[in-house]
């Protein structure tokens, strides 16, 4: 490394000079902004941040509180069904269960129905990797080369469509909601499409092309835990069956943690439910298929409204309020320390 | 002649208590002379009453405690013959101790091998860093042996240059090498290291926390491409720019205040304590980076009711907040923002978002569906206000304590470099008022170096009034003895000279707080 000289050597003009260029870049004289933490900047940033965080926190808490939510754990209430399901020879027998609840006040606005699972680790590495996105695009791929094992083919060589552990373990309870109105029971109309992300429904999942759906899936078999093959997931709606079934798509978008909820249905705002859910007695009728007792899981059904900040989770609001308070307090503490304990700012005079 | 040259270049001064000359021809004579020198030094210190203690904290030398507490300044002159005897195995420690107790040591008429042997001796027994500077082919050995070899390219050809670590054309540039470039280099290296450990700990420890929530199945929190590109694309350039361009104090100030060199000698900027602080900061960041999104995503939905708490959204949120937090941190660390720093920092952030949206796009997914599984995520997740509020909160909570600590440290216990920076700021504001005060010492390099074989007085006569800086000359003795004592002596001398020579117009009070 040649040291940087400030002046070119005059004696060496005869020979080519070995001096490095006298440019700002090479002589490290680039113009630069040299920020320094001073009291004004620091204090103003702390107080502004504190104010911002407090405001946002309060807004978030208020909006989270405005969400109406009813959460019912039905794995306890349907205990005889769960015991029934522990015996795997009962796989093709149905088991129904009813859960009642009462709404004291109307729920106004859009109401969403979720199913919730607890202690179900969709974020396990081996589980998450067990899928074939190419197959779910409807392409004719060799799923042996994917990570779907052991849910790739049956013993007789028939490929499983869709392959993998995620698809195989799909949530298959059927939940219906009934409203007791004037001594008659009305089924609440629910929407089963429009619940998934647009990109999922239209880009990530595509059915294989053929003149009809059952021939598209010819030569494949349903996953071992399923009762129906994939093209019969929703016989009424061509655009919601096969791989592009909303429930299937939502399940395949695995959750981040062991306790999660997935959107199941939305209340269709027609007839009596045009404004939401009126007050009264309701019943969930559940066709209990998904066994959770073996891994000590629990199942919930949740009815909830949403706001701009999502659901009823107050965590972010509380966290903002706490950090806003901490920032403001820190600002005061720093001011106090600065005023009391600082040394007189020393600097060097020119000689 | 060596003694005269020593006087002329101010390695030896009249103020020195004694100059020992070792010219013995046999082992015994040399040993005797060294022993006499040591006794004289010890006697002097005993007579003073061991009242003077020099701050020899720097070199954890094997000097005896008595020799450490010598009073007065001594110099040792030894010629090639005697050195050959002094460097023998049984006498070398003695020689070294005697030499290190002296302020300056001049070895004259030595062979190249002996030069290297002296350097090696110092290296072996003293826990310091040695620097050897030379200009001829006979210095090559010494240059190679020392930790840092400096070659002067000039009259005697480029042999020394080829063997050296650094080279320049004039002896006096050694001062710049040490005080400006060496110091900057140390500062940059330490900042770079600290930041590197911090950002990697923040990045990796998130997986440790996630392990508790994913059944310890070693599931990564981030997308695999993010993991690949994090250290290469998203966070590499800003820290490189800081490592190349950072300057805490401009070069003129570095030369003006040699005491700024002290943190490098004392290993203050990156030692075990600093390392653990970096690590702790990284772990603290990783805790917040994981648990704040965890708290939010444990029970979150989009504003249209659809899914938000899925794994891929969580991954995108944590990855984005990580990149933003470490970018803000490098912004805080960088003290010298050139245009290149701006470009790298903002560019890295922009590159992150560009690459994110590209990899989550439909086109790439259609080409490689099994590789780019995150299709649609960026647009869906980053359109949610909850996600941005989470990222903002994480940034605030990670960065605010750092700002608070740094500011309080700056306010309550400013380092010399902070004071100098503040001075720079103040001076800029007062620039117009102080324009008339001309700094001596920057007018060209037309200094004259004369060596007379007379007493020192003539040299003084010629030197005074010229812009010959005291510090640049005494530095030539610096190589064998890195310590603060000489710097302080230097500083005092400069101060006294400054006030003695009288000040040109300007301020009345000369506050020189060091």
């Amino acid at each position: 490394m040649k040291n940087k000289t400030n002046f070119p050597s005059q004696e060496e003009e005869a020979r080519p000079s070995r001096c490095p260029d006298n440019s700002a870049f090479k002589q490290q004289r680039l113009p630069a902004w040299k920020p320094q933490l001073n009291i004004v900047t620091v204090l103003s940033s702390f107080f502004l941040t504190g104010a911002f965080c407090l405001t946002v926190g309060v807004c978030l808490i208020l909006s989270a509180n405005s969400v109406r939510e009813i959460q019912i754990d039905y794995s306890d209430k349907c205990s005889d069904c769960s015991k029934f399901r522990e015996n795997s020879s009962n796989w093709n027998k149905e088991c129904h269960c009813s859960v009642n609840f009462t709404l004291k006040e109307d729920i106004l606005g859009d109401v969403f129905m979720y199913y919730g699972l607890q202690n179900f680790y969709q974020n396990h590495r081996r589980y998450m990797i067990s899928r074939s996105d190419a197959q779910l695009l409807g392409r004719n791929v060799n799923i042996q080369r994917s990570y779907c094992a052991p849910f790739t083919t049956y013993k007789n060589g028939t490929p499983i469509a869709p392959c993998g552990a995620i698809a195989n373990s799909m949530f298959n309870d059927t939940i219906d909601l009934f409203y007791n109105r004037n001594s008659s029971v009305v089924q609440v109309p629910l929407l089963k499409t429009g619940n998934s992300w647009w990109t999922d429904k239209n880009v990530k999942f595509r059915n294989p092309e053929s003149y009809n759906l059952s021939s598209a899936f010819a030569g494949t078999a349903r996953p071992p835990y399923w009762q129906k093959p994939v093209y019969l997931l929703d016989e009424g709606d061509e655009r919601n069956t096969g791989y592009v079934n909303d429930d299937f798509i939502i399940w395949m978008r695995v959750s981040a943690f062991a306790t999660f909820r997935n959107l199941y249905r939305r209340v269709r705002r027609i007839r009596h439910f045009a404004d939401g859910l009126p007050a009264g007695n309701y019943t969930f009728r559940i066709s209990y298929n998904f066994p959770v007792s073996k891994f000590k899981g629990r199942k919930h059904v949740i009815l909830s409204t949403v706001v701009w900040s999502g659901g009823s989770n107050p965590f972010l609001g509380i966290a903002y309020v706490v950090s806003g308070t901490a920032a403001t307090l820190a600002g005061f503490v720093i001011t106090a320390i600065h005023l009391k304990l600082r040394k007189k700012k020393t600097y060097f005079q020119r000689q | 002649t060596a003694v005269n040259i020593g006087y002329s270049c101010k390695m030896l001064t009249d103020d020195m208590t004694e100059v020992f000359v070792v010219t013995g021809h046999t082992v015994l004579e040399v040993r005797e002379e060294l022993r006499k020198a040591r006794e004289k030094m010890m006697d002097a210190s005993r007579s003073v009453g061991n009242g003077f203690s020099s701050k020899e904290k720097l070199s954890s030398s094997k000097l005896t405690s008595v020799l450490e507490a010598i009073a007065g300044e001594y110099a040792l002159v030894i010629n090639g013959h005697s050195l050959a005897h002094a460097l023998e195995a049984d006498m070398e420690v003695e020689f070294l101790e005697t030499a290190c107790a002296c302020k300056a040591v001049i070895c004259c008429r030595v062979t190249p091998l002996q030069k290297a042997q002296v350097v090696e001796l110092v290296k072996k027994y003293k826990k310091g860093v040695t620097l050897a500077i030379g200009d001829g082919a006979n210095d090559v050995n010494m240059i190679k042996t020392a930790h840092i070899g400096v070659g002067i390219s000039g009259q005697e050809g480029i042999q020394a240059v080829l063997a050296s670590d650094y080279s320049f054309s004039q002896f006096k540039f050694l001062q710049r090498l040490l005080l400006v470039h060496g110091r900057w280099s140390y500062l940059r290296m330490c900042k770079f290291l600290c930041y590197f450990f911090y950002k990697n700990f923040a990045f990796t420890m998130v997986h440790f926390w996630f392990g508790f929530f994913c059944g310890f199945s070693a599931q990564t929190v981030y997308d695999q491409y993010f993991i690949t590109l994090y250290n290469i694309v998203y966070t590499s350039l800003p820290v490189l720019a800081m490592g190349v361009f950072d300057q805490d104090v401009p070069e003129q100030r570095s030369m003006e205040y040699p005491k700024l060199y002290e943190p490098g000698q004392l290993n203050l900027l990156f030692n075990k304590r600093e390392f653990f602080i970096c690590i702790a900061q990284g772990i603290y960041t990783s805790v917040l980076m994981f648990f704040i999104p965890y708290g939010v995503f444990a029970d979150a939905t989009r504003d249209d009711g659809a899914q938000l708490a899925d794994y891929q959204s969580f991954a995108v949120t944590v990855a984005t907040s990580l990149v933003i937090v470490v970018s803000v941190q490098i912004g805080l660390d960088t003290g010298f923002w050139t245009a290149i720093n701006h470009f790298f920092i903002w560019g890295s952030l922009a590159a992150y978002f560009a690459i994110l949206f590209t990899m989550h796009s439909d086109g790439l997914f259609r080409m490689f569906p099994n590789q780019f599984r995150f299709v649609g995520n960026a647009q869906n997740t980053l359109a949610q206000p909850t996600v941005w509020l989470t990222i903002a909160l994480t940034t605030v909570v990670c960065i605010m304590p750092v700002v608070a600590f740094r500011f309080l440290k700056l306010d309550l216990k400013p380092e010399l470099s902070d004071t100098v920076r503040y001075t720079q700021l103040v001076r800029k504001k007062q620039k117009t008022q102080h324009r008339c005060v001309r700094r001596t010492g920057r007018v060209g390099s037309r200094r004259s170096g004369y060596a007379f074989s007379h007493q020192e007085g003539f040299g003084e006569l010629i030197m005074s009034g010229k812009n010959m800086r005291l510090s640049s000359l005494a530095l030539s003795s610096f190589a064998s003895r890195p310590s603060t004592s000489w710097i302080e002596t230097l500083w005092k001398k400069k101060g006294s000279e400054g006030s003695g020579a009288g000040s040109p117009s300007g301020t009345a009070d000369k506050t020189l707080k060091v």
Side-chain angles (χ1 to χ4, degrees), chain B residues 171-189:
Chain B
F171 236 98
K172 67 165 185 170
F173 294 139
L174 184 63
Q175 186 186 17
R176 276 183 69 85
L177 178 69
L178 290 173
L179 294 183
V180 178
H181 297 289
R183 205 177 56 77
W184 280 349
S185 177
Y186 177 68
L187 171 83
R188 289 165 184 166
M189 196 75 71

Side-chain angles (χ1 to χ4, degrees), chain A residues 302-333:
Chain A
I302 300 145
L303 284 169
S304 167
T305 54
V306 287
V307 283
W308 65 272
S309 62
S312 68
N313 189 0
F315 174 84
L316 196 59
I318 295 174
Y320 260 101
V321 167
V322 166
S323 48
T325 324
T328 321
L329 268 176
F332 284 120
V333 167

Side-chain angles (χ1 to χ4, degrees), chain B residues 352-514:
Chain B
Y352 167 70
F353 285 107
I355 295 177
L356 182 77
F357 279 92
T358 311
M359 286 202 301
H360 294 192
S361 67
D362 306 346
L364 266 178
F365 172 71
R366 288 206 190 96
M367 286 195 273
F368 305 102
N370 280 327
Q371 301 305 317
F372 294 98
R373 301 163 176 231
F374 275 64
V375 61
N377 242 281
Q379 31 300 35
N380 280 304
T381 310
L382 292 180
Q384 291 297 309
T386 313
V387 166
W388 283 109
L389 286 175
T390 313
I391 294 173
L393 180 66
T394 316
T395 313
V396 163
V397 184
C398 285
I399 298 293
M400 282 288 149
V402 178
V403 173
F405 280 127
R406 286 195 187 177
F407 175 71
L408 283 175
K409 183 166 180 291
L410 190 68
D411 217 32
L412 301 178
K413 277 205 274 187
E415 306 264 346
L416 179 62
S417 56
D418 301 322
T419 320
V420 174
R421 281 185 81 152
Y422 180 71
T423 311
Q424 192 74 356
L425 216 64
V426 166
R427 274 193 198 176
K428 262 199 192 149
K429 289 185 195 154
Q430 301 172 339
K431 211 173 186 176
T432 48
Q433 299 165 16
H434 284 235
R435 253 205 197 285
C436 46
V437 177
R438 211 172 55 84
R439 280 197 60 218
T440 55
R442 290 308 304 279
V443 185
S445 69
R446 268 182 276 113
R447 63 179 192 78
S448 333
Y450 292 93
F452 292 92
S453 46
H454 287 281
Q455 283 172 355
E456 187 252 330
F458 285 82
E460 184 77 79
L461 191 65
I462 289 164
M463 300 316 165
S464 72
K466 284 278 200 246
N467 37 18
M468 172 75 86
R469 297 229 266 162
L470 197 66
S471 43
S472 60
L473 301 170
L475 262 168
S476 44
S477 69
F478 178 67
S480 60
R481 195 173 159 167
S483 68
T484 46
S485 54
W486 74 267
I487 294 182
E488 278 179 1
T489 330
L490 198 67
W491 194 230
K492 282 182 213 143
K493 274 198 172 171
K494 194 167 191 253
S496 65
E497 222 175 281
S499 57
S503 72
S505 67
T507 54
D509 51 320
K510 295 204 158 320
T511 46
L512 242 179
K513 293 195 180 74
V514 176

Side-chain angles (χ1 to χ4, degrees), chain A residues 1-7 18 25 28-39 42 45-46 49 53 56 60 112 114 121 123-125 128-129 131-134 137 139 195 197 199 203-204 250 253-257 259 261-263 306-313 315-316 319-320 323 334 337-338 341-343 345-351, chain B residues 153 165-168 172-173 176 181 184 188 210 213-215 217-219 245 247 257 292 294-296 298-299 301-307 309-314 335-337 340 362 365-366 369-370 373 375-377 380 385-386 389 392-393 396 400 404 406-408 410-412 416 418-423 425-427 437 442 511-513:
Chain A
M1 179 192 105
K2 297 258 185 283
N3 195 4
K4 325 258 188 275
T5 60
N6 270 335
F7 12 76
R18 283 204 297 267
F25 177 73
Q28 301 190 52
R29 282 195 305 261
L30 288 169
W33 172 48
K34 297 173 220 108
Q36 257 192 306
L37 290 175
N38 59 5
I39 187 71
V42 171
S45 70
F46 268 85
T49 313
C53 287
V56 170
L60 282 169
F112 298 81
Y114 302 86
Y121 282 80
N123 57 8
H124 193 283
R125 184 179 57 90
M128 285 189 69
I129 212 169
R131 63 193 285 164
S132 169
D133 288 291
L137 260 185
R139 293 185 191 171
N195 298 333
W197 293 8
T199 44
V203 178
K204 196 166 181 185
I250 290 173
R253 179 159 282 285
V254 291
S255 84
F257 301 107
T259 306
R261 59 171 73 172
N262 280 339
L263 184 58
V306 287
V307 283
W308 65 272
S309 62
S312 68
N313 189 0
F315 174 84
L316 196 59
Y320 260 101
S323 48
I334 290 176
I337 294 178
H338 180 76
L341 294 178
R342 64 166 170 169
K343 293 194 183 137
K345 252 314 199 248
T346 61
Y347 60 94
F348 300 120
Q349 301 273 8
R350 249 183 222 283
Q351 288 154 350
Chain B
S153 67
D165 300 312
Y166 301 101
S167 70
F168 35 76
K172 67 165 185 170
F173 294 139
R176 276 183 69 85
H181 297 289
W184 280 349
R188 289 165 184 166
F210 187 55
F213 298 93
C214 71
S217 60
Q219 174 62 40
F245 296 111
Q247 296 175 15
Y257 304 107
I292 293 181
Y294 170 70
V296 175
D299 186 11
T301 53
R302 285 160 52 102
D303 54 5
D304 59 1
Q307 253 175 323
D310 59 297
Y311 165 79
Q312 292 183 339
S313 303
F314 181 71
F336 193 79
W337 286 75
I340 300 176
D362 306 346
F365 172 71
R366 288 206 190 96
N370 280 327
R373 301 163 176 231
V375 61
N377 242 281
N380 280 304
T386 313
L389 286 175
L393 180 66
V396 163
M400 282 288 149
R406 286 195 187 177
F407 175 71
L408 283 175
L410 190 68
D411 217 32
L412 301 178
L416 179 62
D418 301 322
T419 320
V420 174
R421 281 185 81 152
Y422 180 71
T423 311
L425 216 64
V426 166
R427 274 193 198 176
V437 177
R442 290 308 304 279
T511 46
L512 242 179
K513 293 195 180 74

Side-chain angles (χ1 to χ4, degrees), chain A residues 178-198:
Chain A
F178 291 89
Y179 175 49
N180 299 338
R181 180 177 176 271
N182 298 343
S183 75
S184 69
V185 174
V186 175
Q187 181 166 15
V188 179
L190 299 170
L191 290 166
K192 51 186 168 172
T193 53
N195 298 333
S196 57
W197 293 8
W198 190 93

